[in-house]
């Protein structure tokens, strides 16, 4: 039986692995800038594993953006995929492309207990939706549903573009500054890597403080070192993430739990766990009781998107080369 290959492709890096016996093997990270396209990157990966072209039967790639059809252009790098040319060049039988956050959501079905940290205690209800939300380059939001046949249904959406909620007078003042700077204020404008910088600038403008940091990494480091303004950025970020996640739980009835993913929050995980996230998550007035008992986890797994691509490949119908059980 031929091997399967999975990939999780972002703007800067492409992660590849073999998928065998429902497990990842030989994970490798390649820079997208070093290759003309995914075919060349995968050929290099196969060569590093001493595998000839034709050794791989199926490929599943998690790609940022809506997928479908025979041509896909990546929005955050120079790569493109033509299905027929891709399969011919790499001598594979089928190519499955899935939305990157759909793959991330499916990855939650395979994480181990040691790959997640409890943020809010509770008991997940297996027959109810689970919310997957993650701050990275943007803010991804997806819904995960268990199916009677043992497979999983992913409902991706554009939840990162909802309006940023206001839950306190301080947040109202910050929102006014953000509105002057941005116009329409989306959750993603604050709840993302670059959002840390946007939020920092808004706080400095509101309080008349000088700007001392120019990157999200510098703000995170300063906040962890105890600098008050940068510390407020991390705290307010955590509270706003709690408000957005709580809103999503109410909308979806997501009593199956909440998974916090993405690359931003793990950088200040201890500060996040001690933040006002939980209070803001449950701060829903007369519906606050609904949020009690819903578990929230911070996911620390290294390659959940790759694992999710393997799950997508595993449960896609064999007769359909570009099918995945997700609704767009």
């Amino acid at each position: 039986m031929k091997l399967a290959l999975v990939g999780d492709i972002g703007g800067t890096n492409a992660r590849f692995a073999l998928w065998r016996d429902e497990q990842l093997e030989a994970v490798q990270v390649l820079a997208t800038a070093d290759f003309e396209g995914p075919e060349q990157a995968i050929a290099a990966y196969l060569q590093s594993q001493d595998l000839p072209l034709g050794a791989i039967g199926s490929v599943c790639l998690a790609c940022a953006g809506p997928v479908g059809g025979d041509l896909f252009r990546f929005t955050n790098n120079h790569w493109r995929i033509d299905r027929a040319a891709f399969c011919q060049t790499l001598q594979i039988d089928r190519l499955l492309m899935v939305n990157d956050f759909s793959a991330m959501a499916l990855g939650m079905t395979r994480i181990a207990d040691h790959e997640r940290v409890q943020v809010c205690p509770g008991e997940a209800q297996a027959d109810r939706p689970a919310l997957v939300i993650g701050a990275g380059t943007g803010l991804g939001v997806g819904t995960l549903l268990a199916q009677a046949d043992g497979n999983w249904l992913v409902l991706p959406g554009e939840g990162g573009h909802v309006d940023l909620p206001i839950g306190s007078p301080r947040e109202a003042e910050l929102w006014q500054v953000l509105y002057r700077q941005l116009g329409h204020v989306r959750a993603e404008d604050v709840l993302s890597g670059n959002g840390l910088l946007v939020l920092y600038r808004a706080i400095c403008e509101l309080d008349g403080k000088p700007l001392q940091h120019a990157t999200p990494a510098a703000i995170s480091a300063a906040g962890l070192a105890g600098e008050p303004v940068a510390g407020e950025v991390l705290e307010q970020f955590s509270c706003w993430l709690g408000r957005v996640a709580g809103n999503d739980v109410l909308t979806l009835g997501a009593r199956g739990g909440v998974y916090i993913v993405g690359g931003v929050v793990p950088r200040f995980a201890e500060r996040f766990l001690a933040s006002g996230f939980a209070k803001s998550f449950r701060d829903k007035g007369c519906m606050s009781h609904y949020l009690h008992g819903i578990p929230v986890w911070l996911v620390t797994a290294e390659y959940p998107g790759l694992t999710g691509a393997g799950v997508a490949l595993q449960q896609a119908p064999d007769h359909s080369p570009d099918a995945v059980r997700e609704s767009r």
Side-chain angles (χ1 to χ4, degrees):
M1 182 179 296
K2 289 185 177 181
L3 290 169
L5 180 143
V6 293
D8 183 10
I9 301 173
T12 304
N13 295 313
R15 300 163 183 84
F16 297 110
L18 302 177
W19 180 254
R20 177 161 36 197
D21 297 328
E22 301 187 24
Q23 298 290 331
L24 298 177
E25 291 183 6
V27 176
Q28 192 173 129
V29 182
L30 302 177
T32 57
D34 291 344
F35 300 92
E36 180 182 347
E39 296 93 335
Q40 291 76 20
I42 291 173
Y45 171 81
L46 293 176
Q47 185 176 24
S48 73
Q49 301 301 315
D50 294 324
L51 292 171
L53 295 180
I56 299 296
S58 301
V59 173
C60 179
L61 299 180
C63 310
V67 296
D70 293 328
L71 182 64
F72 180 82
R73 296 182 184 275
F74 291 83
T75 58
N76 49 7
N77 65 44
H78 63 283
W79 286 5
R80 65 189 293 274
I81 292 178
D82 179 288
R83 182 182 298 278
F86 181 97
C87 293
Q88 182 177 15
T89 299
L90 294 175
Q91 300 177 28
I92 65 169
D93 300 321
R94 70 167 180 164
L95 167 64
L96 174 66
M97 290 184 286
V98 298
N99 172 267
D100 60 338
F101 209 80
S102 295
M104 179 69 77
L106 287 171
M108 299 304 99
T109 69
R110 293 294 191 275
I111 62 171
D113 287 342
H114 70 273
E115 295 177 311
R116 64 185 187 183
V117 178
Q118 188 174 78
V119 181
C120 298
E123 189 71 28
Q125 297 182 15
D127 60 341
R128 300 299 295 273
L131 171 70
V132 185
I133 183 168
T137 303
L139 178 64
V141 180
T143 308
L144 187 64
L145 288 166
Q147 301 294 282
D149 61 1
N151 284 330
W152 296 87
L153 177 68
V154 177
L155 304 175
E158 296 299 330
H161 297 278
V162 300
D163 298 338
L164 185 69
I166 299 171
S168 71
R170 175 68 170 176
E171 289 177 359
E173 292 177 334
L174 284 171
W175 183 91
Q176 289 179 320
V177 176
L178 293 166
Y179 181 77
R180 287 197 300 270
Q181 295 175 348
L182 304 172
H184 178 243
V185 186
R186 307 167 301 162
E188 182 176 276
D189 291 326
V190 167
L191 299 176
S192 59
N194 190 62
L196 286 171
L197 186 58
V198 171
L199 182 54
Y200 171 70
R201 289 171 175 168
I203 289 174
C204 287
E205 179 177 327
L206 180 62
D207 295 339
K209 302 288 187 180
L211 295 172
Q212 296 182 320
H213 307 294
T215 65
I219 294 166
S220 296
L224 292 175
E227 183 188 296
V229 176
E232 183 183 352
V233 172
L234 301 184
E235 176 66 19
Q236 186 59 64
F237 182 101
S238 302
C239 290
W240 254 323
L241 182 58
R243 296 197 192 285
V244 173
N247 286 350
D248 291 338
V249 167
L250 289 177
T251 301
L252 299 167
R255 302 193 66 85
V258 177
Y259 297 88
I260 299 172
V261 299
V264 175
V265 175
R267 295 173 188 167
F268 55 93
E270 289 188 14
R271 182 68 178 258
F272 178 78
L273 294 174
S275 74
F277 171 90
K279 182 177 184 298
S280 299
F281 176 69
R282 300 177 180 131
D283 184 17
K284 300 301 175 190
C286 66
M287 289 302 294
S288 295
H289 67 279
Y290 188 91
L291 282 299
H292 285 272
I294 294 178
V296 180
W297 300 281
L298 173 60
V299 176
T300 59
E302 195 169 9
Y303 302 113
L306 275 179
T307 300
V311 175
L313 188 61
Q314 190 172 298
Q315 67 176 33
D318 290 339
H319 64 273
S320 179
D322 60 352
V324 62
R325 299 196 63 179
E326 72 176 76
S327 173
R328 296 184 182 89

